[in-house]
Amino acid sequence: KPCLQLYRLLRTIAEQHKAHAVAPGSARTLASALDLSTSTSTSYSPQHTGSDVRYDKRHGSELRFRSYIATVAAERGKQAAREEMECWSCQHHLKKGGFICRGCEKIQPVDPSVNYFELFGMPDMQYDLDLDKLEKQYKMLQWQLHPDKAVGRTEAEREFSAQQATMVNMAYSVLRSPLARANYMLAQRGVSAGENSENTITDPELLMQVLEAREEVEATEDPAVLRRLLQQNRQQQARLVEELGEAFSRPTGTQDALSRTTELTYLVRLEQELVRKLPDAGA
């Protein structure tokens, strides 16, 4: 009975941690690891025959259970290693991308493994963003990296602080721009959109639309016409941004996202030309 109670306790603990267990396929599930049968002996009684030791099924299940728990612990250790880094000064563990070590209060260098989304507390890397939340997070990071906070620090820490601030500013400028964000996400997927332009458009119908729109902008100086074209342009951009969000949400949507990004690139450039001709139009 004591053994059975211990087994039940361990099984309950394992079930509570099942959500944090190893990835599917990397180890047997707990159910298979604990394959017990009441038709076998219920006591542990190893029988020695020379150097051979035979165990009953319950003991074998105990060994599988221990192996399973060890595998889970190893996987969770690997996950923690991916999510943490060591302080350069005191080796204290802190969250990857952290600015200041809680162990010694030293400013940390830029972590190149942290992407822009993770830097702003958005690890899922979704194209559709809450821009108000992004701005609030940006202001908080700016406050943490304010130059006054580096006063009295070592030269290395002041340099780290400046590098962190530069990265935060760059990340914010990329994430707040629909086009820059799309190009960044494509790069994270291993696709380089590069300097998309009309010359990279392979869709004949889309290419014709690009050329006609550019000709129309270049042919007029009428503010009313230019404002109408600008309004149409921004409506088209809004549509593309929605389509990009849908494309990036699909694991197989990279090619669609690349196509929409190319189209968005020419619309953004056309908008810049319209705004240049209409200084009072605003960004």
Side-chain angles (χ1 to χ4, degrees):
K1 285 185 178 180
C3 291
L4 183 59
Q5 291 173 350
L6 176 60
Y7 165 78
R8 287 174 176 171
L9 175 61
L10 291 174
R11 181 167 183 166
T12 300
I13 294 173
E15 288 175 348
Q16 291 174 347
H17 287 79
K18 192 173 183 180
H20 304 288
V22 295
S26 60
R28 290 178 302 227
T29 62
L30 182 59
S32 63
L34 299 175
D35 181 21
L36 297 178
S37 172
T38 55
S39 63
T40 59
S41 170
T42 58
S43 63
Y44 164 54
S45 54
Q47 301 176 11
H48 296 265
T49 305
S51 59
D52 175 55
V53 180
R54 296 194 302 273
Y55 301 92
D56 64 16
K57 192 169 184 179
R58 175 170 294 280
H59 182 63
S61 296
E62 180 183 348
L63 292 177
R64 288 194 297 275
F65 177 78
R66 290 180 178 177
S67 175
Y68 174 82
I69 293 300
T71 302
V72 170
E75 288 293 330
R76 294 185 71 181
K78 292 178 183 178
Q79 180 66 23
R82 289 191 292 268
E83 296 176 353
E84 295 182 346
M85 66 178 189
E86 282 190 355
C87 170
W88 62 271
S89 178
C90 70
Q91 285 71 57
H92 182 83
H93 285 268
L94 65 154
K95 185 177 179 180
K96 278 204 167 188
F99 295 148
I100 298 178
C101 173
R102 294 185 178 181
C104 65
E105 299 297 323
K106 296 287 188 181
I107 297 176
Q108 301 299 300
V110 169
D111 184 350
S113 70
V114 175
N115 65 54
Y116 291 169
F117 289 86
E118 292 172 330
L119 186 63
F120 279 81
M122 297 176 284
D124 293 337
M125 200 181 294
Q126 297 293 325
Y127 181 78
D128 293 326
L129 294 182
D130 183 337
L131 295 181
D132 289 336
K133 181 179 178 181
L134 178 68
E135 184 175 1
K136 290 178 181 178
Q137 185 70 5
Y138 174 59
K139 290 180 178 179
M140 186 190 76
L141 295 177
Q142 278 189 315
W143 176 80
Q144 291 180 0
L145 294 169
H146 194 280
D148 289 348
K149 295 183 178 292
V151 173
R153 299 279 188 168
T154 63
E155 182 178 351
E157 288 182 274
R158 291 196 299 272
E159 180 65 22
F160 292 155
S161 180
Q163 292 171 357
Q164 294 278 18
T166 299
M167 182 176 180
V168 167
N169 290 333
M170 176 64 73
Y172 178 67
S173 67
V174 167
L175 295 183
R176 70 191 296 267
S177 164
L179 178 58
R181 184 164 72 246
N183 277 293
Y184 182 76
M185 290 184 66
L186 286 172
Q188 292 296 304
R189 293 188 177 192
V191 177
S192 176
E195 288 296 320
N196 290 304
S197 66
E198 291 87 335
N199 295 329
T200 66
I201 299 176
T202 57
D203 183 342
E205 183 178 352
L206 177 58
L207 180 58
M208 185 61 65
Q209 291 176 8
V210 171
L211 296 177
E212 288 178 352
R214 185 170 294 281
E215 287 177 1
E216 191 173 9
V217 171
E218 293 175 350
T220 184
E221 297 293 335
D222 186 339
V225 174
L226 292 171
R227 288 192 181 91
R228 175 178 58 80
L229 293 174
L230 181 61
Q231 182 180 14
Q232 291 175 355
N233 177 285
R234 289 175 174 172
Q235 289 173 347
Q236 289 175 300
Q237 287 192 52
R239 171 183 58 81
L240 282 173
V241 167
E242 289 184 5
E243 293 177 0
L244 276 166
E246 192 278 330
F248 276 118
S249 69
R250 292 183 283 112
T252 58
T254 302
Q255 192 58 44
D256 286 343
L258 178 59
S259 176
R260 300 298 183 275
T261 301
T262 299
E263 189 174 351
L264 182 60
T265 300
Y266 100 76
L267 284 176
V268 168
R269 290 178 177 174
L270 197 59
E271 179 191 25
Q272 292 170 349
E273 180 63 19
L274 285 163
V275 170
R276 187 186 66 79
K277 298 183 78 170
L278 280 171
D280 61 333

